[in-house]
Amino acid sequence: MPERSRVDAFVATVVSGDHVKAITDFYHENASMQEPGKEPRRGRELLEKHEQNALDRLDRMYTHPARAVLIDGDTVVIQWIFDATSKDGVTRRLEELALQRWQGDRIIEERFFYDTASAWAVVQP
């Protein structure tokens, strides 16, 4: 079961924009991530590479402060909002819930929930 301070440190790392470091520092080496309707990605190294590849396709990723962080034993739920600005200047927003299962002080399993029909909608300036 994670300590609240450990979960807060994870959230702070993601909000700082260092998404790959968040995976390195807070995910179990055998962790998995799963997007809606897709097979899970498995293994911290693959998760780091996938995240870095996604970030490399962007000009900027802005992570809003978490709207809610709920902890119940080994289960953590975080409400996130991400604004991704492409290299051509278009900003798109994703609002999601991340359902995490922690093993000690590291995330072992994470599933993302969002409306796939409105995911990454263009944000009007």
Side-chain angles (χ1 to χ4, degrees):
M1 177 169 72
E3 296 289 327
R4 178 69 192 214
S5 60
R6 179 74 172 159
V7 174
D8 289 344
F10 167 74
V11 169
T13 302
V14 176
V15 170
S16 80
D18 203 343
H19 296 216
V20 176
K21 182 173 175 36
I23 294 169
T24 301
D25 292 352
F26 293 92
Y27 287 68
H28 191 277
E29 72 176 302
N30 297 318
S32 67
M33 283 183 182
Q34 185 174 8
E35 305 291 335
K38 297 191 177 179
E39 288 297 313
R41 297 182 296 279
R42 298 186 188 282
R44 185 173 55 217
E45 188 175 320
L46 176 64
L47 302 180
E48 292 165 339
K49 287 179 185 176
H50 183 274
E51 192 71 18
Q52 189 60 60
N53 288 339
L55 294 170
D56 287 347
R57 291 190 300 269
L58 299 173
D59 182 52
R60 179 172 186 255
M61 174 66 84
Y62 174 73
T63 304
H64 294 257
R67 290 190 146 186
V69 178
L70 308 171
I71 303 170
D72 183 16
D74 290 335
T75 302
V76 174
V77 178
I78 304 171
Q79 183 182 8
W80 293 112
I81 298 176
F82 301 101
D83 289 343
T85 303
S86 63
K87 295 193 186 280
D88 62 359
V90 176
T91 300
R92 298 179 185 281
R93 177 166 290 167
L94 175 69
E95 295 188 38
E96 75 175 16
L97 292 177
L99 173 62
Q100 302 170 335
R101 186 170 57 85
W102 288 63
Q103 191 174 70
D105 66 349
R106 291 188 173 264
I107 300 162
I108 188 69
E109 182 180 82
E110 184 169 41
R111 291 188 65 190
F112 303 111
F113 297 89
Y114 49 83
D115 177 4
T116 56
S118 63
W120 300 114
V122 174
V123 176
Q124 299 301 321

